[in-house]
């Protein structure tokens, strides 16, 4: 069994179809006595909805995916090199691209008949931030095989800047410096480490705020859409109510007219009955008078 083809096919399916298709391939592999393939396929995990939508983006928009992966490499390289200018430039593009690509992924998912809530859209953004920060996530996403939403990215903490040699200050004089006590970091190293830590924390807080802003905007859009839909339903119901009220008025008028017709018919029938009774009485009187004349 071509395991690579099967894996690629499975992660291209909607999450609701994944498990049944995977289990069917496991059965097929076991029937073919390909235990290695059966074990590999059985270990595959159904992708989270957000991961599947992000995979869909990588599969359907390969050029956009390549550019995004290149941005991730640039961010990680700039962070390792402590290149503040490159990092600011890359991060400026990062937030714009993540927001735009997350919406594109959500649109692709909706095109496949899969609704995407504000929470799922937020998770898609988490996936994309993880693609930028973590090479292993980037690799799985580039293949369209990401199964889970990665942990929230705290800046680029996975790349430890303390392992990078500090840059030399070109303006520093070469004069003698007082040595720090053995076993303790020099003051300037402590200051640099503290500054880096503060920068990472500030960057992480900025990311969290931007995530919350995106989620709030999405929730606002969803709520607005629901309000507009409800308003449309109110308008349609109002029209139907107006039509029903008109029909009721017409029916009431027709009923009143019918009641008048019934009363008129009843009066006419009563009058006709009385006239018939008088005519019958007149006939009887005439008959009696005729018999009296014969007698």
């Amino acid at each position: 069994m071509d395991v690579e083809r099967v894996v690629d096919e499975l992660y291209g399916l909607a999450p609701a179809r994944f498990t049944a298709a995977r289990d069917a391939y496991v059965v097929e592999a076991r029937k073919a006595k390909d235990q290695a393939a059966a074990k590999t396929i059985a270990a595959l995990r159904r992708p989270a909805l957000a991961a599947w939508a992000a995979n869909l983006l990588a599969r359907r928009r390969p050029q956009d995916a390549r550019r995004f992966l290149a941005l991730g490499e640039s961010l990680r390289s700039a962070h390792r090199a402590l290149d503040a200018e490159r990092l600011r430039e890359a991060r400026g593009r990062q937030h714009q691209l993540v927001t735009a690509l997350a919406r594109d992924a959500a649109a692709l998912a909706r095109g496949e008949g899969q609704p995407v809530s504000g929470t799922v859209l937020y998770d898609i953004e988490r996936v994309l931030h993880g693609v930028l920060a973590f090479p292993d996530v980037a690799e799985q996403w580039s293949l369209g095989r990401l199964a889970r939403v990665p942990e929230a990215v705290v800046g680029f903490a996975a790349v430890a800047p303390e392992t990078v040699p500090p840059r030399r200050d070109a303006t520093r004089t070469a004069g003698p410096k007082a040595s720090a006590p053995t076993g303790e970091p020099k003051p300037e190293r402590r200051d640099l480490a503290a500054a880096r830590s503060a920068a990472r924390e500030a960057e992480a807080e900025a990311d969290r705020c931007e995530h919350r802003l995106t989620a709030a905007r999405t929730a606002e859009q969803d709520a607005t859409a629901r309000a507009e839909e409800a308003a449309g339903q109110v308008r349609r119901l109002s029209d139907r109510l107006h039509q029903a009220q008109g029909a009721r008025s017409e029916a009431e008028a027709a009923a009143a007219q019918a009641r008048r017709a019934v009363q008129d018919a009843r009066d006419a029938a009563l009058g006709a009955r009385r006239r018939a009774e008088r005519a019958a009485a007149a006939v009887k009187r005439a008959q009696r008078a005729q018999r009296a004349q014969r007698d």
Side-chain angles (χ1 to χ4, degrees):
M1 179 175 288
D2 187 347
V3 175
E4 285 297 309
R5 179 190 64 79
V6 171
V7 173
D8 192 62
E9 177 187 332
L10 289 175
Y11 281 102
L13 298 175
R17 299 174 54 198
F18 180 91
T19 302
R22 179 201 60 193
D23 293 348
Y25 274 120
V26 171
V27 171
E28 182 180 337
R30 287 173 178 166
K31 286 182 179 179
K33 299 188 184 305
D34 190 345
Q35 297 302 323
K39 183 177 180 180
T40 298
I41 296 171
L44 299 176
R45 292 294 172 259
R46 168 179 167 171
L49 179 55
W52 170 76
N55 288 339
L56 200 60
L57 178 70
R59 290 168 179 263
R60 300 281 181 84
R61 306 277 182 83
Q63 292 183 350
D64 291 341
R66 284 193 293 271
R67 284 195 292 267
F68 194 65
L69 290 168
L71 174 61
E73 292 177 358
S74 178
L75 276 167
R76 293 191 295 273
S77 174
H79 187 81
R80 284 191 295 267
L82 299 178
D83 189 333
E85 183 175 351
R86 281 179 57 201
L87 193 59
R88 281 195 300 270
E89 179 184 354
R91 282 186 58 78
R93 288 185 292 149
Q94 170 190 355
H95 296 298
Q96 295 175 357
L97 273 177
V98 165
T99 300
L101 291 180
R103 290 177 179 173
D104 289 346
L108 289 172
R110 293 187 186 104
E112 294 295 317
Q114 177 61 60
V116 175
S117 66
T119 300
V120 174
L121 180 60
Y122 173 75
D123 285 342
I124 295 173
E125 291 187 354
R126 278 183 54 187
V127 170
L128 295 176
H129 280 295
V131 169
L132 293 177
F134 306 115
D136 56 335
V137 176
E139 180 181 3
Q140 290 299 309
W141 179 73
S142 68
L143 297 172
R145 299 180 181 181
L146 196 63
R148 63 182 61 185
V149 177
E151 295 297 326
V153 178
V154 181
F156 274 74
V159 183
E162 286 78 5
T163 63
V164 182
R167 291 182 175 181
R168 296 182 180 275
D169 189 347
T171 63
R172 185 179 298 170
T173 61
K177 296 286 182 178
S179 299
T182 303
E184 294 185 5
K186 294 181 179 181
E188 61 270 20
R189 294 293 294 274
R190 287 198 303 270
D191 293 344
L192 179 59
R196 287 170 179 163
S197 177
R200 286 198 304 275
E201 291 177 2
E203 185 177 342
E205 180 60 24
D207 284 342
R208 288 191 291 270
C209 289
E210 288 174 358
H211 289 331
R212 289 194 292 269
L213 175 60
T214 299
R217 286 174 174 169
T218 301
E220 179 189 16
Q221 292 171 356
D222 290 345
T224 300
R226 290 196 299 271
E228 291 176 351
E229 181 180 357
Q233 291 178 347
V234 169
R235 286 193 296 270
R236 289 191 293 272
L237 291 173
S238 179
D239 291 341
R240 290 175 58 186
L241 176 61
H242 181 71
Q243 293 172 359
Q245 288 174 336
R248 184 184 67 179
S249 297
E250 293 176 359
E252 288 176 347
Q257 184 177 359
R259 285 193 294 272
R260 288 194 296 270
V262 168
Q263 185 63 43
D264 292 344
R266 184 183 295 115
D267 293 344
L270 182 60
R273 175 61 60 189
R274 289 174 179 172
R275 288 192 296 274
E277 290 174 352
R278 288 196 295 270
V283 168
K284 290 179 180 179
R285 288 194 299 272
Q287 290 175 342
R288 286 197 296 271
Q290 188 178 20
R291 284 196 298 271
Q293 289 176 356
R294 286 198 301 268
D295 294 340

